[in-house]
Amino acid sequence: MASTSTIEVTQTFHHSTTTHRYDIRWTSLGDKALPPLIFVHGTPWSSRVWHVYAQSLSSYFHVYLFDNPGFGDSPLGQPLPGKEDSISKAVALDADLAQQSEVYAALYHFWAQGWGTKKAHVVAHDHGGLMSLRAHILHGCEYASLCLIDVVAMGPFGQPLFKLVAENEAVFNALTPTVFEGVVESYIRDAAHNDLSKETMGMLKRPWVSSDEGRRGFVRQLMQANSRSTDEVEPKYSAVGRKMPIRIIWGKQDGWLPVEIAERLKEKLNAKEVVLIDGAGHLIMYDQQAKLGVELTWWLSRISS
C-alpha cells in the first residue's frame, strides 16, 4: 500500500459521562450505503495510524475514524462543573479506559442510528482492543466482526518505563524540550521493528512534543498505563467469539506485547485463528504496511461475503 494524503477529522461528537464532558473529533469516508467499518487506535497514537487503510478500504466500506480523548485532535475530557473535587488523579487520558470505552460506545451508537439493521466491522490496535471489547460487553455495541491487532486486552500490564515515570513524574515534567523529545522518540522507536521514516516519526511524536500540554499528557499517560483493568470484562471474553467472527493479527517481533499473549487471547475469546506477521513489531501498520493491508482486505472481504 502506498502513502496517502492526510485525512482530517472534521466532525465533533459531544458526550458527557457522570464526571466529564468530551468533544471527540471524527470523520467518515466512502458511500454511506456501504457496510460500516470502524478503526480504533491505541496509545500513544491517533487515528492517523489508519489513514492508508481507511483511504484504500473506503471504496468498499463506509469507514469511520476518530481520535480518543487527549489524542490526536480530540482534547482531554473536561470535568463537569462541581465534579472537580470528586475526580481522582487516575481519571484522565489513557488510564481510565472505562471512561474512554464509554465515550467510544456512545459514539458507536450515534453512528449506528444511520445504519438500519447493519452492524459495523471493527479493527482495533493496542488499547483500542480493550476499548472495543468493553464497549461490546458492557455497553451493547454489536459488531459484524472484530479484528484485533497487537492489542492490550489482558492483564497484568507494565513496562519498566511505566514504573520509572510513575515514580519520577516531577523529573520527567522538568526535562528540557530537547531531552523530552528524545525520550518520546526512543519510546516510539521501541514500538517498531523496522526504522520509521522521518515523516512518520514526526507525525507520531508531534502531539506530545509541540506544547507543554502535550508533554504533560505524555507523562500522564505513561504514569497511568499500569492501571488499566480488565477484571470487569476478561471473565466474559469466552462468549464474544460465539457471537461474532474474530481475527487476531500480531507482529511476530512485537517487543511490547509478545506473541504468546496473542495465543492466550485466542483461547480466551474463542477466536478461530492468530495470524503472525514476520518482520513486524507493535507498530505493525508501519513495519509491514503491505502485509497488514493484505490480511485486512482478505479478512474483510471474506466475512463481508
Side-chain angles (χ1 to χ4, degrees):
M1 286 186 165
S3 61
T4 188
S5 58
T6 299
I7 301 167
E8 300 296 336
V9 282
T10 55
Q11 302 192 63
T12 304
F13 173 71
H14 306 287
H15 178 73
S16 293
T17 65
T18 57
T19 58
H20 285 75
R21 174 178 173 81
Y22 294 92
D23 300 305
I24 301 302
R25 304 288 287 180
W26 69 277
T27 194
S28 64
L29 298 79
D31 190 331
K32 293 181 179 180
L34 294 170
L37 168 63
I38 299 170
F39 285 97
V40 188
H41 74 83
T43 180
W45 327 115
S46 73
S47 61
R48 292 192 176 206
V49 300
W50 297 123
H51 282 191
V52 170
Y53 305 100
Q55 191 72 61
S56 298
L57 290 166
S58 64
S59 296
Y60 311 100
F61 296 90
H62 186 205
V63 179
Y64 293 85
L65 296 171
F66 70 101
D67 287 341
N68 280 312
F71 295 82
D73 291 330
S74 292
L76 279 171
Q78 298 301 309
L80 295 174
K83 295 291 184 179
E84 294 86 352
D85 294 339
S86 65
I87 298 171
S88 70
K89 189 176 182 180
V91 182
L93 201 62
D94 174 73
D96 191 26
L97 289 185
Q99 290 239 25
Q100 288 211 28
S101 302
E102 180 182 340
V103 175
Y104 158 64
L107 180 60
Y108 183 97
H109 289 302
F110 168 74
W111 288 334
Q113 293 174 18
W115 298 342
T117 59
K118 291 183 289 189
K119 301 175 184 177
H121 302 284
V122 174
V123 176
H125 176 245
D126 193 80
H127 81 223
L130 182 53
M131 285 177 54
S132 300
L133 288 164
R134 288 185 66 93
H136 168 68
I137 294 169
L138 302 178
H139 301 292
C141 294
E142 297 295 332
Y143 307 143
S145 71
L146 183 59
C147 183
L148 301 171
I149 303 173
D150 293 80
V151 294
V152 172
M154 297 192 303
F157 308 107
Q159 295 186 36
L161 182 60
F162 295 166
K163 183 178 180 181
L164 181 66
V165 175
E167 293 175 350
N168 298 276
E169 177 186 5
V171 174
F172 279 87
N173 278 327
L175 294 176
T176 65
T178 301
V179 174
F180 189 87
E181 185 171 346
V183 172
V184 175
E185 279 202 20
S186 179
Y187 180 71
I188 292 173
R189 193 177 295 114
D190 191 51
H193 179 64
N194 302 315
D195 290 339
L196 296 169
S197 70
K198 184 178 180 180
E199 178 185 21
T200 298
M201 176 61 78
M203 180 272 291
L204 293 174
K205 74 178 181 180
R206 190 171 300 114
W208 308 114
V209 302
S210 58
S211 67
D212 289 341
E213 181 182 1
R215 287 188 284 272
R216 288 193 298 270
F218 185 82
V219 170
R220 185 164 56 238
Q221 63 98 357
L222 285 183
M223 284 179 57
Q224 300 168 346
N226 279 336
S227 66
R228 303 169 180 135
S229 176
T230 64
D231 295 346
E232 197 174 4
V233 291
E234 200 169 333
K236 302 176 182 179
Y237 280 178
S238 60
V240 178
R242 293 193 288 267
K243 296 184 69 176
M244 72 186 79
I246 299 176
R247 190 175 220 214
I248 298 172
I249 300 176
W250 222 264
K252 198 171 183 179
Q253 287 78 32
D254 190 333
W256 285 11
L257 300 170
V259 292
E260 53 263 29
I261 295 177
E263 294 295 337
R264 287 172 49 211
L265 186 60
K266 172 180 176 288
E267 297 302 317
K268 283 267 189 180
L269 288 170
N270 283 314
K272 294 187 180 300
E273 61 182 341
V274 171
V275 176
L276 300 182
I277 296 185
D278 196 19
H282 191 69
L283 274 175
I284 191 170
M285 60 282 291
Y286 296 110
D287 281 331
Q288 295 293 339
Q289 186 181 89
K291 288 182 180 179
L292 179 59
V294 169
E295 293 295 343
L296 285 176
T297 303
W298 181 89
W299 166 249
L300 290 167
S301 64
R302 176 186 175 190
I303 56 176
S304 295
S305 60

